[in-house]
């Protein structure tokens, strides 16, 4: 009985709680019609799990199994087909590239990323982005005028100190870096006008 109760609880969590929690935490962006569809799917999935549990209690095993399979299919379709693709928080590189495009429509300004070295960013920028360690930033900036930088918000002061010039923030992108399992807080910045370091 304890095992059955645990499986029913897990089923309810997967059918109802998982899509709802992901949508709330991940910045679910969708038209009202899709949000209503998600709510309906969550409700139907939860109801099917409960009906499956009642069928089990009545020893109607085939019906219980059929209801559980339908609930699993609805939960999977809702989570993987509807919710996850529309979570802003998961698509950090895509949102960075969109923001960069709004800043540099021609795509001609040099671009570098300090600390955020995801392959998805390299792919989406068509290998335009240069991956830098913080220590290599000053030399790269000296060789690339009007550059755009992607810098973790927590490392901006270190970047300014090493580069010997202030950085002006143009955009901020936050989200969940699922490849590392951590939240990312990134700034798209440029060096402030007239602050280039003297020739070396």
């Amino acid at each position: 009985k304890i095992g059955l109760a645990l499986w029913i609880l897990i089923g309810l969590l997967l059918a109802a709680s998982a899509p709802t929690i992901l949508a709330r935490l991940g910045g679910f962006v969708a038209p009202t019609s899709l949000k209503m569809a998600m709510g309906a799917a969550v409700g139907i999935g939860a109801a099917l799990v409960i009906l499956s549990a009642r069928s089990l209690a009545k020893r109607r095993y085939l019906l219980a199994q059929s209801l559980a399979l339908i609930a699993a299919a609805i939960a999977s379709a809702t989570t993987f087909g509807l919710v996850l693709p529309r979570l802003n928080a998961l698509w950090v590189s895509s949102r960075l590239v969109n923001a960069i495009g709004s800043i540099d429509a021609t795509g001609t300004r040099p671009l570098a990323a300090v600390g955020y070295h995801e392959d998805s960013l390299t792919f989406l920028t068509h290998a335009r982005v240069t991956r830098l360690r913080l220590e290599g930033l000053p030399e790269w900036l000296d060789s690339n005028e009007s550059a755009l930088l992607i810098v973790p918000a927590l490392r901006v002061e270190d970047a300014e100190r090493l580069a010997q010039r202030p950085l002006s923030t143009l955009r901020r992108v936050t989200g969940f870096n699922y490849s590392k399992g951590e939240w990312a807080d990134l700034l798209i910045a440029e060096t402030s006008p007239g602050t280039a370091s003297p020739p070396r």
Side-chain angles (χ1 to χ4, degrees):
K1 289 181 179 180
I2 293 172
L4 179 59
L6 286 174
W7 277 114
I8 293 169
L9 178 60
I10 291 170
L12 285 172
L13 289 174
L14 291 176
S17 299
T20 304
I21 292 171
L22 284 171
R24 286 183 176 274
L25 295 180
F28 183 60
V29 178
T32 302
S33 58
L34 280 181
K35 291 181 179 179
M36 292 176 64
M38 188 197 83
V42 165
I44 292 170
L48 287 171
V49 171
I50 294 171
L51 289 173
S52 176
R54 291 183 63 184
S55 299
L56 277 174
K58 296 178 180 179
R59 299 181 181 273
R60 301 177 67 181
Y61 300 116
L62 183 59
L63 177 60
Q65 202 168 39
S66 299
L67 292 171
L69 285 171
I70 296 171
I74 291 174
S76 296
T78 304
T79 302
F80 296 104
L82 181 61
V83 178
L84 288 179
R86 293 172 176 82
L87 293 186
N88 262 345
L90 290 182
W91 313 117
V92 178
S93 293
S94 297
R95 291 164 57 215
L96 282 171
V97 170
N98 289 337
I100 290 165
S102 68
I103 297 167
D104 178 25
T106 61
T108 55
R109 297 177 67 174
L111 175 65
V114 178
Y116 184 79
H117 297 161
E118 297 302 317
D119 291 337
S120 55
L121 182 63
T122 301
F123 175 78
L124 291 171
T125 59
H126 306 287
R128 172 187 167 199
V129 65
T130 300
R131 298 180 179 186
L132 290 178
R133 292 182 178 273
L134 200 59
E135 296 77 13
L137 181 58
E139 183 179 355
W140 188 84
L141 283 175
D142 288 343
S143 304
N144 293 275
E145 296 181 1
S146 70
L148 292 173
L149 296 172
I150 299 169
V151 187
L154 293 176
R155 305 303 304 272
V156 168
E157 290 186 3
D158 294 333
E160 290 178 325
R161 177 176 51 79
L162 281 173
Q164 299 180 4
R165 66 195 86 183
L167 298 176
S168 298
T169 299
L170 304 175
R171 296 285 191 283
R172 188 170 196 153
V173 174
T174 59
F176 186 73
N177 185 355
Y178 54 82
S179 67
K180 291 187 175 180
E182 61 187 22
W183 287 94
D185 185 5
L186 304 168
L187 305 181
I188 302 172
E190 64 182 358
T191 55
S192 299
T195 60
S197 58
R200 301 179 182 182

